[in-house]
Amino acid sequence: MEVAESFEKCTFQKGTTIIRQGDDPSSDYLYVLQAGLCSVTIDGERLPEPHGTLGPGSLIGDIGLLFGTPRVKTVETE
């Protein structure tokens, strides 16, 4: 319960870039998608399904935070 209580709710409009490939993760967040869909691209190309679409329960930004590396993909709301 303590982990869930530390979350902050964010709402994004359609077409919003949540993370951008190459960005530094040091001051960013890990997102858990509660509702809606997001598209995933690498080098401007959408990933093939099922990896090109994220739905509720998906994590966004986990790789950069876990490994301290720049963002490996761009995730945008649909």
Side-chain angles (χ1 to χ4, degrees):
M1 188 63 137
E2 290 178 34
V3 172
E5 291 172 357
S6 69
F7 279 68
E8 178 181 325
K9 186 173 184 173
C10 298
T11 303
F12 297 100
Q13 298 297 315
K14 182 178 179 178
T16 300
T17 300
I18 298 174
I19 61 170
R20 186 176 309 280
Q21 183 179 2
D23 282 354
D24 182 357
S26 63
S27 63
D28 215 336
Y29 296 90
L30 166 69
Y31 300 92
V32 179
L33 188 57
Q34 182 180 11
L37 297 174
C38 292
S39 62
V40 180
T41 59
I42 295 178
D43 297 330
E45 298 284 329
R46 187 166 181 155
L47 298 182
E49 296 305 332
H51 307 291
T53 303
L54 299 177
S58 297
L59 297 178
I60 301 170
D62 51 327
I63 295 172
L65 288 178
L66 286 171
F67 298 105
T69 60
R71 301 296 188 190
V72 296
K73 59 191 169 194
T74 297
V75 177
E76 183 176 282
T77 58
E78 291 189 345

